[in-house]
Amino acid sequence: MEVEVKLRLKDATAHHQLTTTLLSPFHVKTLHQHNLFFDTPTSSLSSQRAVLRLRFFDKDARCIVSLKSKPTLVDGVSRVEEDEEELDPAVAKDCVENPSKLYDIESRVVRRVREEFGLENGSALVCLGGFENVREVYDWRGLKLAVDETKYVFGTSYEVECETEDPEGAKRVLEEFFNENGIAYTYSEMTKFAVFRAGKLPQ
């Protein structure tokens, strides 16, 4: 179970202030992510609250396949069952071009998708598309923060994520920090995948 605090930043100004001023001394790394999602034409996975994703890093230098299921997002705290593993990026790129090849690779995650979500009969898979994400990672006050700039075809959103075993405590510390420094934010109400599927940014 992955547990994260998710706070949506109001705009690019808040993102800029946070990344270039307030958190810059604590910067660890920058990740360029390309996220692509897969389902059957009849939405077999989405209808069961499951998401199959290929995430490419830094111009296809790495790829991770992940299965997320049973997500909840309440008051800025996300809980989701997640399983993931590394894939050869070249193999993964072939799967983007021909999603049925996902069934041919040796992958625990894909095997779970087939067995647990009723795709054993070889149900066709299609690539739904996806979005780009620039993730700035910080070690700050004992927390690992990910500040995301997510670029959809219909707009850009900004979000802070913090994976933690104490979500209420982490959320309280972040809220105090944001309020002290005038960072405009709200609780995230939708996952990035849900925003992508909705085709518009949250209001």
Side-chain angles (χ1 to χ4, degrees):
M1 178 71 70
E2 178 189 67
V3 181
E4 291 181 316
V5 176
K6 290 179 178 281
L7 302 178
R8 180 171 167 246
L9 300 174
K10 181 180 179 182
D11 52 28
T13 300
H15 176 267
H16 182 77
Q17 182 182 357
L18 197 58
T19 55
T20 63
T21 304
L22 297 173
L23 291 178
S24 58
F26 310 98
H27 186 260
V28 176
K29 58 186 174 181
T30 301
L31 298 173
H32 295 269
Q33 304 170 339
H34 185 199
N35 300 286
L36 293 168
F37 301 90
F38 299 81
D39 204 341
T40 68
T42 56
S43 301
S44 300
L45 296 178
S46 294
S47 65
Q48 298 178 78
R49 302 175 63 222
V51 175
L52 176 61
R53 181 188 69 199
L54 290 180
R55 170 173 283 174
F56 294 90
F57 293 85
D58 301 322
K59 302 297 183 183
D60 306 340
R62 288 177 63 213
C63 181
I64 291 178
V65 58
S66 68
L67 168 64
K68 294 193 174 193
S69 60
K70 302 176 184 176
T72 63
L73 182 52
V74 180
D75 294 334
V77 177
S78 164
R79 291 178 170 85
V80 62
E81 295 183 11
E82 182 176 36
D83 190 9
E84 61 182 26
E85 64 183 331
E86 295 264 353
L87 277 188
D88 181 318
V91 171
K93 292 296 286 185
D94 283 344
C95 293
V96 174
E97 298 299 322
N98 185 355
S100 64
K101 289 187 176 181
L102 277 165
Y103 289 142
D104 299 330
I105 63 177
E106 288 295 325
S107 165
R108 178 191 70 254
V109 171
V110 175
R111 186 165 60 250
R112 283 193 58 201
V113 170
R114 296 183 67 171
E115 293 174 355
E116 297 178 24
F117 295 94
L119 304 190
E120 276 297 294
N121 61 358
S123 303
L125 284 173
V126 295
C127 181
L128 304 175
F131 50 82
E132 304 280 346
N133 189 56
V134 179
R135 171 164 290 178
E136 306 290 353
V137 181
Y138 304 88
D139 279 331
W140 175 81
R141 297 187 186 178
L143 300 174
K144 179 68 66 79
L145 303 183
V147 183
D148 290 342
E149 179 183 16
T150 307
K151 301 175 182 178
Y152 305 97
V153 296
F154 46 83
T156 302
S157 68
Y158 308 92
E159 187 177 50
V160 176
E161 296 184 352
C162 177
E163 187 170 352
T164 175
E165 295 179 357
D166 178 20
E168 292 304 326
K171 186 170 70 169
R172 184 170 58 251
V173 170
L174 282 169
E175 288 188 293
E176 290 174 356
F177 178 63
F178 286 2
N179 291 332
E180 288 170 0
N181 290 280
I183 299 293
Y185 72 95
T186 58
Y187 294 153
S188 296
E189 297 179 345
M190 301 171 68
T191 66
K192 291 181 177 68
F193 176 71
V195 173
F196 163 66
R197 291 297 275 165
K200 62 181 180 181
L201 298 177
Q203 297 301 310

